[in-house]
Amino acid sequence: QSVLTQPPSASGTPGQRVTISCSGSSSNIGSNTVNWFQQLPGTAPKLLIYTYNQRPSGVPDRFSGSKSGTSASLAISGLQSEDEADYYCAAWDDSLNGVVFGGGTKLTVL
Amino acid sequence: EVQLVESGGGLVKPGGSLRLSCAASGFTFSSYNMNWVRQTPGKGLEWVSSISSRSIYIYYADSVKGRFTVSRDNAKSSLFLQMNSLRAEDTAVYYCARDLWQPESYWGQGTLVTVSS
């Protein structure tokens, strides 16, 4: 059972907009930054979004992040087949004094 | 080019020990906080440990506290994870990751640790 809660799966067709949620608490998302990581099949995770809604260089602007209270969301617009991957949210937890990850969401492009 | 190369994984019996290494290159290793994150085959990510750039701040997940020890050698651009009293539930791919929070975050390809009799 992960401290951050994500839906196990999401799907969409090419060109659609998909949103993945990440629910936490006041000790993690509510008081600390949230990052999103993308893990393509058979590869190591890669930073996708940092500090809620910032993109590292090279990440397309189709990817965006947001936060409201103790929840965060990742939105992918103009869905492409190469977006098929696992997506994880992460935050520092002040109560646990450590990093917490969501359980991951497997995105399928239909 | 930034590179993080993990090594030291393998098959070990329950109760045994392993020492993982992560060799860093292509950046100033001593300027970055470093992390170990593991992933059980087919499952999600689990943070294991973090160490600040000068080893002043060190944190562990409750699941490994007292059994695992993280360290680094900035002169050799290397990160280590000493794992003792290994359990079956420690079986995972262990990733070395540079700074999880900044745009410069970068992960190695991982090394597989299997704990089984």
Side-chain angles (χ1 to χ4, degrees):
Chain A
Q1 198 83 357
S2 302
V3 173
L4 303 181
T5 302
Q6 297 180 235
S9 64
S11 63
T13 56
Q16 264 191 333
R17 183 177 188 268
V18 170
T19 301
I20 297 171
S21 62
C22 175
S23 177
S25 67
S26 58
S27 63
N28 42 66
I29 294 178
S31 52
N32 295 296
T33 188
V34 177
N35 283 12
W36 289 89
F37 295 89
Q38 178 192 56
Q39 187 175 30
L40 296 169
T43 70
K46 182 190 90 167
L47 180 65
L48 191 67
I49 296 287
Y50 68 100
T51 316
Y52 307 118
N53 58 8
Q54 304 298 302
R55 290 183 306 277
S57 63
V59 174
D61 59 7
R62 303 185 294 103
F63 295 90
S64 62
S66 63
K67 176 209 155 179
S68 178
T70 58
S71 293
S73 293
L74 172 71
I76 309 171
S77 59
L79 200 61
Q80 299 181 4
S81 57
E82 55 260 40
D83 298 333
E84 196 160 275
D86 293 324
Y87 293 85
Y88 296 90
C89 57
W92 181 265
D93 191 294
D94 293 331
S95 296
L96 297 175
N97 221 21
V99 180
V100 290
F101 283 95
T105 298
K106 184 176 185 62
L107 175 64
T108 301
V109 181
L110 303 169
Chain B
E1 181 196 2
V2 173
Q3 281 200 319
L4 294 171
V5 180
E6 301 92 338
S7 61
L11 175 64
V12 62
K13 289 182 168 52
S17 299
L18 272 181
R19 188 188 195 218
L20 304 185
S21 300
C22 172
S25 60
F27 65 100
T28 305
F29 180 75
S30 60
S31 297
Y32 290 88
N33 300 332
M34 297 296 295
N35 306 268
W36 288 100
V37 179
R38 67 186 181 184
Q39 184 171 34
T40 305
K43 297 285 178 65
L45 302 172
E46 180 188 13
W47 169 76
V48 173
S49 181
S50 298
I51 183 169
S52 62
S53 59
R54 296 186 180 185
S55 304
I56 294 174
Y57 301 103
I58 291 176
Y59 305 95
Y60 297 100
D62 286 344
S63 58
V64 307
K65 205 170 291 184
R67 301 187 299 123
F68 290 11
T69 302
V70 65
S71 62
R72 62 190 295 163
D73 184 337
N74 285 345
K76 296 182 177 178
S77 296
S78 294
L79 176 71
F80 306 101
L81 186 68
Q82 177 66 44
M83 305 187 296
N84 299 329
S85 304
L86 282 162
R87 306 166 180 167
E89 53 265 35
D90 295 319
T91 295
V93 173
Y94 285 73
Y95 293 103
C96 161
R98 180 181 79 173
D99 201 321
L100 296 174
W101 309 112
Q102 298 304 315
E104 299 89 358
S105 178
Y106 186 86
W107 298 50
Q109 289 306 304
T111 185
L112 177 62
V113 172
T114 303
V115 184
S116 175
S117 55

